[in-house]
Amino acid sequence: MCGIVGYMGSQDAVPVIMNGLKMLEYRGYDSAGICTMDSGDVEIRRSPGKLVNLERLLKEQPMRGTIGIGHTRWATHGKPTVANAHPHKGGSVVVVHNGIIENYLALKDELSEQGHIFISETDSEVISHLIDEKMDSTGSFEEAVQQALKMIQGAYALCILSKKDDKTLIVAKSGSPMVIGIKGNEYFIASDMPAIISNTREMIIMEDGEMAVFRNGGVKFSTIYGVEIAKEPRYIDWSPLKAEKNGYPNFMLKEIHEQPQAIKNVVAGRLLEDEGNVFLEELHLNDEELRSFERLCFVACGTSWHAALMGKYLIEEYCRIPVDVEIASEFRYRDPLVSGKTLVIPISQSGETADTLAALREAKNKNAHIVSICNVIDSSIARESDGVIYTRAGLEIGVASTKAFTTQLVALYLLTIRLGRANGSIDLKKGQEMIAALSELPAMVEKTLELDLQIEEIACEYLTSWDAIYLGRGISFPIALEGALKLKEISYIHADGYPAGEMKHGPIALIDRDMPVFILAPNDRHLVKVRSNMEEVITRGGKVVALCSEGDFETGKRADFTLHIPWAGEALSPVLFAVALQLLAYNFAILKGKDVDQPRNLAKSVTVE
Ligand code: AGP
C-alpha cells in the first residue's frame, strides 16, 4: 500500500512528483524514492524514513528531467532500508510498485540463474529484472512489459522507465489503484487523485489488466495482452481539501476537535423531521427494494469494522433485520453466503482498503446489491458500489481514525432510520424521536471534548502500564474494541477490548494492580450488569476507570477514576464514549512522546492484502 506518482511533460518532474508524494504519504512512510530520466541518464535518489528525508537528500543531490517516477513505501517484503526503497532498478529498467508480487521468489530464482543480481529483499525488484530480461529477447519496452506482466501473480500498480527507451513511460495496473491526469501533453500519474488534482481535473481511471504507454506527448491504452482500448477522461468536480493543522499541534487533535462539525455535515440535508425519516437518495433504493433484502452484511477492516459492529446492534435492534459483520480479509476467501437478497455494505474511510474492495467484488460476483459507507469521494469502493453514503468527515490525515469513525457511526444511525421506516419497524413517532436526538449530538461532543484535562490526568496515572483492558456491553462493546485499538496504534501500549461479561471466561486472569481497566458504563439497560463486572475487577485488585453517564454518581464510587460522559440516549451515546477514548489514547501517546499522526508501522490507506 505504497503511494506512487509519475510525470511526463515539459516541467521539471521532481517538484511535481514530490508534491504528489506529499499527498500520498498516508499510504506509507517507511521510505521514499524518486527517479528521473534526462536525455538517457537515469538518476535515482532513495531515503529511508519519511518523505522529509528524501527532500533533504534532493537538496544535497538535486536531479532533473521531465520524465520521472516516485514512491512512498509501506514495507511488506524487506525492512525499510535504502536498498529496499523504491525505485528498483534491474538492468536498464526502473520501477515503482504498489502491491505484492506473490510468485516473486520463483521468478527471482529463475532470473538469478540467468545472471541477474538482486540487491534488495523486496518482491518489487523482480519486476524490473523481469522486464529487463524480456527487453533483451523482444527488443521492445512495451512488449517486454506485456510479457513480464503475464508472468506476474499478485497485485500491482506500476510506473516503469527504461534507459533503452528513454522517451517512454509505461503504467500498468492490476488490483492496486491507479489514475492518470491529463493536461494537454502533460501526464500526471498517481495511486490516488488527491496527489495530482492540483495539476488537472481531467482524470482517467485505470482498470485491472490495463496499461498505458506515454510517448512523444501522447498516450496509448491497451490491455496487458496488447489489445488497444479507448479511454476517455472524466472531469473531477470536487475540490481537493487542504491539509492544514489550523493551530493544532498535530492533525489527530485537530480531527478529534472537528467532530462536532463533521457530525453536522453528515446529517446536513438528510433529515426529514416531520416524516421521522431520512433522505438517503444516494442509496438508489426505494422502500420496496429496501424491504426486499433478507439480510444485511457489513464488510470492513479495523476501525471501520468496529463501526460495522455498532451498525449490527443498531439495525438488528431497531429494524429487526439480521445483520452479519465480516472482517473483509476473511470474507473473500470463504465462499461467503450472499445472494441477490443480501444488501452488502462495505464501510471504509479511504475507500481504497484492498481487502474491503476485494470483499465488495466478491459480493458483487454473487449478485449482492452493494451500498458502501465511505469518506473519500470517488474512491475505488465508492465507484464500484451501487450506492454510496458519504460520511462527509473531510480530509482525515491522522493515521488513527477519529472523525471518520464517529461520522460512520452517525451514517449508520441514519441508515437504521431509513431501513426501519421502510419496513415499518420504526414508526413515525420513533423516527421523529431518533432524528430529534441527533440535533443535540454535536453540542454533546463539544462537552465531551471538555473532559480533556481529566483524561490527561488518567493517562498520567497509568503512563507506565504495559497493558490495558477495555470493557463494554451491548452497543458499548464495539466502542471498547475501538478504544483499545486507538491506544495500541498510537501509544504502543498493548490493549484489548472485551464484552464485559466475557471477562470471567479468561481475561480476568490478567487482572492485577498494574492493569488499568477502562469500563464503559453508560446509563443503558446493561448498567447493572456492568457494575457487577466492575466489582469483579476491583475485587481482584485491578485499577478501574469508570466511564459513566452524566448524573450517574453511583457507578464510579469504587473506581479509581470516573469520567462523566454526556447522555445522548442508548443509540448515540457510543459516539460520545468513542470521543472520550480517542482523547485518552491521544493523551497517552503525547505523554509518551509518540508521533500520533504517523505511528510506526502503519499507513492510513491499506492497499495491500
Ligand atoms: C484505525 O485507526 C486505522 N487507521 C485502521 O484500522 C483503519 O480503520 C482500517 O485500515 C480500515 O481503513 P478504511 O476505513 O480506510 O477502509
Side-chain angles (χ1 to χ4, degrees), residues 260-322:
Q261 186 57 48
I263 289 169
K264 285 181 194 161
N265 294 347
V266 67
V267 300
R270 286 172 166 165
L271 303 184
L272 303 169
E273 286 90 348
D274 293 345
E275 294 168 41
N277 207 338
V278 295
F279 181 65
L280 287 177
E281 190 192 28
E282 53 271 60
L283 291 179
H284 304 305
L285 291 167
N286 61 30
D287 282 5
E288 197 188 331
E289 286 164 331
L290 282 173
R291 280 195 296 271
S292 71
F293 296 113
E294 286 170 355
R295 42 193 279 273
L296 264 57
C297 177
F298 287 110
V299 288
C301 302
T303 288
S304 297
W305 183 76
H306 297 153
L309 215 50
M310 154 124 173
K312 175 182 170 75
Y313 279 93
L314 284 176
I315 291 167
E316 289 193 341
E317 163 94 17
Y318 292 100
C319 312
R320 311 307 296 159
I321 306 170

Side-chain angles (χ1 to χ4, degrees), residues 300-306 347-354 356-357 373 375-376 381 396 398-402 404-405 408 482 485-486 489-490 602-606:
C301 302
T303 288
S304 297
W305 183 76
H306 297 153
I347 305 183
S348 175
Q349 185 288 128
S350 62
E352 299 295 346
T353 300
T356 310
L357 184 58
I373 297 180
N375 188 38
V376 176
I381 290 173
E396 192 179 67
V399 163
S401 244
T402 52
F405 178 61
Q408 285 169 349
E482 174 59 9
L485 177 61
K486 284 287 91 80
E489 64 183 339
I490 59 169
L602 293 175
K604 183 75 184 156
S605 182
V606 183

